[in-house]
Amino acid sequence: MLDENIKSQLKSYMGMIVQPIELIAHLDDSAKSAELRELLTEIELMSDKISLVEQPEGSERTPSFDIRRSGTDISVCFAGIPMGHEFTSLVLALLQVGGHPIKLDESVVEQIKNLDGDYLFETFFSLSCQNCPDVVQALNTMSVINPRIRHVAIDGALFQNEVEARQIMSVPSLFLNGEAFWQGRAGVEELLSKLDTGAASRKAEELSKKDPYDVLIVGGGPAGAAAAIYAARKGIRTGIVAERFGGQVLDTMSIENFISVQETDGPKFAAALEQHVNVYGVDIMNVQRAEQLVPGEGLIEVKLESGGSLKGKTVILSTGARWRQINVPGEDQYRNAGVAYCPHCDGPLFKGKDVAVIGGGNSGVEAAIDLAGLVKHVTVIEFGDALRADAVLQRKLLSMKNVTIITSAQTTEIHGDGKKVTGLSYKDRLTDEMKQIDLDGVFIQIGLVPNTEWLKDTVALSRFGEIEIDARGQTSIPGVFAAGDCTTVPFKQIIISAGDGAKAALSAFDHLIRTSVTETEDSVTNEVVSA
């Protein structure tokens, strides 16, 4: 099942297992069970510390398998065949259950160990979702550290009946003890913050006690990461606070235009950013949302939603952007219940169904092309009188037989039955006629909106909400700089954001030097006058 190159790499990883583990397989006579049996047999042969045991009974889902540390209750479970983006989750689970050290701060490990209660988590994922592995790996790790936490990772495409019964229309979808618990990407710290209700206040108090930074960066995407590296290389105290390190790049499926990196995906790129930032000892404060910017003489304060507060002699704003909404009735009501923004993540859940893509730019047309290979039919709805995507993408889209393109159409409402999407209405802008389409899902792809609402009435913003900056990245407030997709810089690209982040850091360093020189001159002047 695995090619020779992957087998060779996997075998070297299996050599890191230090404690015996059992692969307990729950199989039947289906083709998928045969496929899983082949995979597990190949893994068993890679280490004498791995044994495969078939148990037809004992699981509500087939095919599935447990990875269990022999003689203990430490285990994780996969329902399905964890290939695609989840192959890394499989490898990590094998290593961690097998006793390989877990890379988490000791304080986080202790917090997991001290969780009081019994937790059964079920995560529904799709193999094409780049967001799902974070949740799967986080919960697998937590279940290895604390056996009172049990976790089952379920391939939604393989267990469609369960997906339908639970009305799951977006992944990752996470259930705790049978009840909906979390939707979307999350790491260990985010999940802990919801399980351990006192963690947020403790963290806020800890952050507020930190000394001021020479450069405090708000936002952990490519701009923020580049700013942190360039600032830290100057030997000055640098901190970066982010809602999620990696930012919107985590939601990017394929990156093929970052110079010198021929091809990668968003999560891998984000992980590389964080590793690079860590090399320079930058203080990374993750899972923290900025709430208010308070300019002041000498120090600038950033207040956090958690109640904490950080200060910096200079601040770099790199909060990025998020998917733009169409703001029509039904959009918020049916978010994750048929309304989606990531075709790679949620597309497999709509197999054999009718969906629409709103937006005829590159993102919209790429989404339609991807979905057309999975769903029954795709309707592309474009507000303008023609698609705006690159010609090569339009040609590909037009070649697909299960795609309908509607232009000059204004979406006015998304309909549902109270539980999920059932269709949408749009106005024909040429005739003003109202029309309706029956659908199972709506994918919205109409661009980005900057994450700057918290900055209103502080720094100057454009009419689109972007932070206004000059050629040096300086905002309207001295000592406050900005970079990336949240600014007025045109062309929202990763490489441009990274370059602007570096520029903002150099500008902040220059500001610090000039400010310190001015303060020294003032001090000398005062001494002369006093004499």
Side-chain angles (χ1 to χ4, degrees):
M1 181 175 180
L2 302 174
D3 65 38
E4 292 304 318
N5 183 43
I6 293 178
K7 280 185 181 179
S8 176
Q9 293 180 42
L10 186 55
K11 188 172 183 178
S12 68
Y13 283 122
M14 295 304 95
M16 300 177 186
I17 293 176
V18 295
Q19 298 190 43
I21 61 175
E22 300 167 342
L23 306 179
I24 304 171
H26 309 285
L27 308 171
D28 54 23
D29 58 359
S30 67
K32 284 296 181 181
S33 284
E35 191 176 335
L36 179 56
R37 181 183 289 110
E38 181 182 355
L39 172 63
L40 298 179
T41 300
E42 290 179 351
I43 293 173
E44 180 190 26
L45 296 174
M46 293 178 182
S47 171
D48 58 6
K49 289 186 170 63
I50 302 175
S51 59
L52 174 60
V53 180
E54 290 195 29
Q55 290 184 358
E57 305 297 328
S59 176
E60 61 183 292
R61 301 179 184 91
T62 303
S64 65
F65 67 101
D66 301 300
I67 305 172
R68 179 173 300 162
R69 185 177 298 173
S70 299
T72 75
D73 55 359
I74 296 173
S75 68
V76 301
C77 179
F78 288 94
I81 306 171
M83 299 298 288
H85 286 292
E86 293 300 338
F87 187 69
T88 300
S89 301
L90 169 61
V91 175
L92 286 174
L94 290 165
L95 291 174
Q96 291 176 350
V97 176
H100 190 71
I102 292 172
K103 295 181 179 179
L104 282 177
D105 289 342
E106 189 57 37
S107 61
V108 176
V109 173
E110 284 303 310
Q111 191 179 351
I112 295 170
K113 287 180 179 178
N114 293 331
L115 285 173
D116 186 25
D118 294 301
Y119 306 88
L120 172 59
F121 287 101
E122 299 166 295
T123 302
F124 286 83
F125 66 85
S126 70
L127 296 178
S128 59
C129 172
Q130 73 270 27
N131 293 324
C132 295
D134 275 12
V135 176
V136 172
Q137 292 166 24
L139 286 168
N140 282 348
T141 298
M142 292 168 67
S143 65
V144 171
I145 294 171
N146 183 346
R148 295 183 70 182
I149 301 171
R150 292 179 294 150
H151 180 225
V152 185
I154 306 161
D155 182 357
L158 198 55
F159 295 92
Q160 283 282 342
N161 289 341
E162 196 167 351
V163 167
E164 293 284 349
R166 297 202 190 194
Q167 297 292 317
I168 297 169
M169 305 190 77
S170 180
V171 291
S173 284
L174 178 56
F175 291 79
L176 171 57
N177 298 332
E179 300 294 328
F181 176 78
W182 188 278
Q183 186 73 52
R185 176 189 290 273
V188 170
E189 291 176 288
E190 289 165 294
L191 296 173
L192 273 176
S193 68
K194 189 164 183 180
L195 292 170
D196 184 355
T197 53
S201 59
R202 294 195 302 271
K203 187 66 175 178
E205 184 178 353
E206 176 189 323
L207 293 176
S208 297
K209 291 179 179 178
K210 289 180 178 284
D211 293 332
Y213 296 91
D214 293 310
V215 176
L216 175 61
I217 300 153
V218 186
I229 290 169
Y230 268 75
R233 282 174 61 87
K234 294 296 184 181
I236 56 180
R237 178 170 162 76
T238 305
I240 182 168
V241 58
E243 188 171 354
R244 56 171 187 164
F245 196 96
Q248 194 197 5
V249 76
L250 289 166
D251 303 324
T252 304
M253 185 64 177
S254 179
I255 300 171
E256 299 176 350
N257 56 357
F258 193 85
I259 309 307
S260 83
V261 181
Q262 190 168 357
E263 183 178 359
T264 186
D265 61 41
K268 288 180 182 177
F269 189 81
L273 288 178
E274 188 166 7
Q275 289 169 6
H276 198 170
V277 170
N278 277 323
V279 167
Y280 292 97
V282 174
D283 189 3
I284 299 177
M285 296 156 282
N286 207 6
V287 198
Q288 295 293 327
R289 186 184 181 94
E291 185 176 61
Q292 185 181 4
L293 182 71
V294 184
E297 291 187 13
L299 291 177
I300 301 157
E301 183 181 9
V302 175
K303 293 185 177 181
L304 305 173
E305 197 174 77
S306 65
S309 174
L310 298 166
K311 293 182 174 67
K313 296 177 183 177
T314 61
V315 167
I316 296 174
L317 305 170
S318 58
T319 49
R322 63 186 183 277
W323 293 116
R324 185 181 297 277
Q325 295 184 246
I326 54 176
N327 295 317
V328 300
E331 181 180 13
D332 286 334
Q333 180 181 355
Y334 294 105
R335 183 189 298 268
N336 299 323
V339 174
Y341 299 85
C342 180
H344 306 296
C345 301
D346 301 331
L349 300 177
F350 293 86
K351 184 177 180 180
K353 298 180 179 180
D354 295 327
V355 303
V357 173
I358 299 178
N362 282 350
S363 296
V365 171
E366 286 175 352
I369 291 170
D370 289 342
L371 289 167
L374 295 168
V375 305
K376 181 180 177 182
H377 189 270
V378 181
T379 301
V380 178
I381 298 176
E382 163 60 26
F383 183 86
D385 59 5
L387 297 179
R388 295 168 287 107
D390 294 343
V392 63
L393 293 174
Q394 292 194 42
R395 286 196 296 270
K396 175 65 176 177
L397 184 68
L398 291 169
S399 72
M400 310 189 89
K401 296 181 180 179
N402 62 334
V403 174
T404 299
I405 300 169
I406 302 175
T407 58
S408 299
Q410 179 182 355
T411 303
T412 57
E413 184 175 358
I414 295 173
H415 304 289
D417 60 7
K419 295 182 178 179
K420 57 183 175 52
V421 166
T422 58
L424 65 76
S425 294
Y426 71 91
K427 181 175 75 172
D428 186 324
R429 295 177 56 244
L430 299 179
T431 65
D432 285 339
E433 181 182 359
M434 296 300 301
K435 298 182 179 181
Q436 186 169 328
I437 309 173
D438 293 332
L439 297 164
D440 299 292
V442 179
F443 289 81
I444 299 171
Q445 301 279 294
I446 59 168
L448 304 172
V449 59
N451 296 317
T452 57
E453 290 87 351
W454 65 287
L455 294 168
K456 288 180 179 178
D457 302 322
T458 52
V459 299
L461 303 177
S462 73
R463 63 189 181 94
F464 300 110
E466 299 168 320
I467 302 170
E468 294 182 347
I469 57 173
D470 63 15
R472 298 168 60 83
Q474 173 70 60
T475 71
S476 58
I477 299 174
V480 178
F481 302 84
D485 288 359
C486 63
T487 73
T488 50
V489 169
F491 311 121
K492 313 304 185 186
Q493 298 290 314
I494 293 173
I495 196 165
I496 294 173
S497 292
D500 281 355
K503 184 198 301 180
L506 294 174
S507 297
F509 182 67
D510 182 68
H511 176 85
L512 289 170
I513 293 173
R514 293 175 184 275
T515 302
S516 64
V517 169
T518 301
E519 289 174 350
T520 301
E521 289 175 345
D522 290 343
S523 176
V524 170
T525 300
N526 290 335
E527 289 178 8
V528 171
V529 171
S530 298

